[in-house]
Amino acid sequence: MRSLTKLFVVFIFLGLSTTLFAQASASATAQVTAQLKRGLTLTNLDGDLDFGEIIVTPAPQAPAITPALGVRFLASGHPNKDVVVTFGPATLTGGVSTIVFTPDVEHTGNSITYVNPIVVTSGGTYQLVNTTGTGLLYLWLGGSLAIAADQEAADYSGTFTLSVAY
């Protein structure tokens, strides 16, 4: 029994000595990353969308300009990156009345000419097509006006906003 007690005391002593020599420092690592992208720009290449002179009639009208005959925009940024395109209707004001402009937007990828257009939905994601290290997306704006019967005769204008974001 006495040797069992000695063994127990030695065991406790060894256990205590192990905790007395615990490690005094520790270290860990973390990976550091960054994604560098080309800046994103959107340029109006053609100016304003002009419906010209419209004669007021007793019936409602919805004159339209197709995107092919409208205004062209160029989104430029990081090649092959996706961008979200957003836009909405615009309100044109003239005198004390308003007219709603409903946009029709299409894109032709990296083609500067109106070839194989694809309809663009506001809030949709579209890819900047790689052209010699730069991503391009040509956007084409057309649309229609909602003119009421006997709409007030005046010069109407408003601002349409098109946005792109990574």
Side-chain angles (χ1 to χ4, degrees):
M1 176 83 151
R2 191 170 192 182
S3 63
L4 186 58
T5 305
K6 284 183 183 179
L7 182 62
F8 181 69
V9 170
V10 170
F11 179 72
I12 290 175
F13 178 75
L14 288 175
L16 289 177
S17 68
T18 305
T19 57
L20 291 177
F21 297 109
Q23 187 171 338
S25 67
S27 64
T29 62
Q31 189 72 12
V32 177
T33 62
Q35 295 179 358
L36 301 180
K37 295 186 254 186
R38 288 185 184 274
L40 185 60
T41 63
L42 182 62
T43 307
N44 179 332
L45 300 175
D46 296 325
D48 299 325
L49 190 60
D50 186 354
F51 281 83
E53 292 182 357
I54 301 167
I55 304 298
V56 176
T57 67
Q61 300 177 62
I65 296 176
T66 66
L69 300 174
V71 176
R72 204 172 22 144
F73 294 86
L74 174 60
S76 177
H78 198 82
N80 301 318
K81 283 303 238 181
D82 288 339
V83 292
V84 176
V85 178
T86 55
F87 56 88
T91 301
L92 285 65
T93 304
V96 295
S97 296
T98 59
I99 296 174
V100 174
F101 167 70
T102 302
D104 180 8
V105 179
E106 297 177 347
H107 82 80
T108 56
N110 65 341
S111 176
I112 195 167
T113 58
Y114 191 77
V115 177
N116 301 318
I118 296 170
V119 173
V120 173
T121 303
S122 182
T125 302
Y126 304 91
Q127 188 177 67
L128 297 173
V129 181
N130 188 2
T131 304
T132 63
T134 300
L136 302 178
L137 183 66
Y138 284 92
L139 298 155
W140 303 73
L141 170 66
S144 62
L145 299 175
I147 301 174
D150 295 317
Q151 180 86 38
E152 178 186 2
D155 291 337
Y156 288 80
S157 66
T159 302
F160 169 78
T161 302
L162 179 68
S163 301
V164 293
Y166 285 124

